[in-house]
Amino acid sequence: MQETSNIIRLISAIAAIVLGSGGVIALFYAANILVNRLPYQTRSRILPWVYMAPALAVLTAFLILPTMRTIILSFMDRRSEAWVGFDNYIFAFTNSDMLVAFRNNILWLVLVTGVSVSLGLVIAVLVDRVRYEPLAKALIFLPMAISFVGASVIWRFVYAYQPPGVDQIGLLNAVVVALGFEPIGWLVNKTVNNFALIAIMIWLQTGFAMVLLSSAVKGIPQDVLEAARIDGANEFQIFWRITIPMISSTIVVVSTTIIVLVLKVFDIVFVMTGGNLDTDVIASRMIKEMFNFRNFGRGSAIAVILLLAVIPVMVTNIRRFQQQEANR
């Protein structure tokens, strides 16, 4: 019985793939035939929209309409029954728990972006001069292959805590105890828990920054570097006065990309601490208001605030790409 059920599911999946792919191909083919029957001038204007229409329809259905609905809900009460004006936004900017979330997000933005990009740049410059460059890059980039949840599970073992006098199963506390100090509750100590979570994100994003910045470093003309050395510049001066200015656009793109990831970080906080002990960030607070407290108005308002925070960064990135294309 179970085998029959599995066979039916397999056949259904194959049929869905074949019919879905075939249906899309048939749709584009039929639309192309119809457009080709139109006059040339009309056809040239309509044809691009024919190919974009399915993607635009999906984008509208699953992104634009839900966004508009969320904005509307942000002005309504917890059950989305009555208008409350800006009450939900006032709550977001005055509630003590929300202020903690904003503080933590700023801390994440500064440390994760700054440290990840800085480490990535330094590593990119250093490994460019060694013979085992591919191996070094592969090891540093390896964490990027791990999901945020997977990385959080790994680091829960690294941060594991046992009371003094008990064998430590956490790698970090085992090292601390071996050095003669007391074990530290990395995830329960409010002094260090946010930094412990931030370290995970830095571990994940440094490889990403390194790969992109390494490509930019390799793009610097060697004759410029040789000329600087002939003029008496040391490696430190070359790094600050030639390398960084010449790859500044790449540094900006990498930084803004990491900023977008940090603004919507949720997985690490949820898996490691659940947002407790003053570790909440904006995204985790949104989930709590929406699904734990069942307050759809406040949850929607926080979602809108998060969206408004991401939009300027994305616009900056798009303009940067446009400028690069225009300069080519």
Side-chain angles (χ1 to χ4, degrees):
M1 191 67 171
Q2 183 66 29
E3 292 181 359
T4 304
S5 177
N6 290 336
I7 292 174
I8 293 175
R9 291 179 180 176
L10 179 60
I11 294 174
S12 300
I14 294 174
I17 294 173
V18 172
L19 294 176
S21 302
V24 172
I25 294 173
L27 176 64
F28 280 113
Y29 187 73
N32 191 63
I33 292 176
L34 293 175
V35 172
N36 282 333
R37 294 182 177 181
L38 298 173
Y40 177 78
Q41 292 182 347
T42 306
R43 182 174 62 205
S44 61
R45 291 196 300 267
I46 294 179
L47 190 59
W49 292 101
V50 170
Y51 285 106
M52 289 192 299
L56 292 175
V58 172
L59 187 67
T60 301
F62 293 99
L63 183 61
I64 298 177
L65 293 180
T67 299
M68 295 174 62
R69 176 63 175 167
T70 300
I71 294 173
I72 294 172
L73 291 178
S74 69
F75 293 100
M76 304 182 75
D77 64 1
R78 64 182 305 120
R79 295 188 178 182
S80 305
E81 295 175 346
W83 290 93
V84 294
F86 289 94
D87 287 356
N88 295 321
Y89 291 94
I90 294 173
F91 163 84
F93 288 105
T94 57
N95 178 264
S96 58
D97 292 329
M98 279 301 305
L99 294 178
V100 169
F102 282 120
R103 180 205 67 189
N104 290 342
N105 251 112
I106 294 173
L107 191 63
W108 278 73
L109 284 172
V110 173
L111 292 181
V112 173
T113 306
V115 176
S116 296
V117 175
S118 299
L119 281 178
L121 178 57
V122 171
I123 294 171
V125 173
L126 293 179
V127 299
D128 188 46
R129 308 182 181 194
V130 297
R131 290 180 297 175
Y132 48 88
E133 177 185 359
L135 177 61
K137 284 184 175 180
L139 292 175
I140 297 170
F141 186 76
L142 188 61
M144 278 295 296
I146 306 173
S147 68
F148 283 6
V149 173
S152 301
V153 172
I154 293 171
W155 280 84
R156 279 188 70 89
F157 289 105
V158 175
Y159 290 142
Y161 167 82
Q162 296 292 336
V166 180
D167 291 337
Q168 300 294 324
I169 63 171
L171 175 62
L172 201 53
N173 272 325
V175 173
V176 170
V177 171
L179 294 175
F181 299 99
E182 293 290 321
I184 301 172
W186 299 100
L187 300 179
V188 298
N189 188 330
K190 293 184 179 181
T191 306
V192 298
N193 55 7
N194 278 299
F195 297 101
L197 301 183
I198 289 171
I200 302 173
M201 191 71 164
I202 293 173
W203 180 67
L204 290 169
Q205 296 303 315
T206 297
F208 165 76
M210 175 205 65
V211 169
L212 296 184
L213 293 174
S214 178
S215 299
V217 169
K218 289 183 180 298
I220 298 176
Q222 289 299 315
D223 55 350
V224 175
L225 301 178
E226 292 300 329
R229 293 188 180 100
I230 292 173
D231 289 340
N234 57 40
E235 296 302 320
F236 187 78
Q237 291 172 324
I238 291 174
F239 177 76
W240 281 104
R241 298 184 181 182
I242 296 178
T243 302
I244 291 181
M246 293 193 71
I247 65 170
S248 59
S249 60
T250 305
I251 293 175
V252 172
V253 171
V254 172
S255 299
T256 51
T257 303
I258 293 177
I259 286 173
V260 172
L261 292 174
V262 173
L263 280 173
K264 59 183 184 179
V265 65
F266 163 75
D267 318 59
I268 295 173
V269 175
F270 182 79
V271 174
M272 299 294 285
T273 63
N276 299 316
L277 301 170
D278 290 345
T279 58
D280 255 334
V281 289
I282 299 176
S284 64
R285 194 68 204 173
M286 174 189 69
I287 296 297
K288 284 185 177 180
E289 292 291 342
M290 183 74 75
F291 299 106
N292 292 9
F293 307 147
R294 308 297 292 176
N295 193 320
F296 296 106
R298 290 179 178 177
S300 298
I302 298 172
V304 172
I305 292 171
L306 191 58
L307 175 64
L308 293 176
V310 171
I311 287 177
V313 182
M314 297 180 66
V315 170
T316 301
N317 252 359
I318 293 172
R319 288 182 176 177
R320 176 69 61 174
F321 288 134
Q322 291 175 338
Q323 290 176 356
Q324 290 178 346
E325 289 296 325
N327 292 334
R328 288 183 178 179

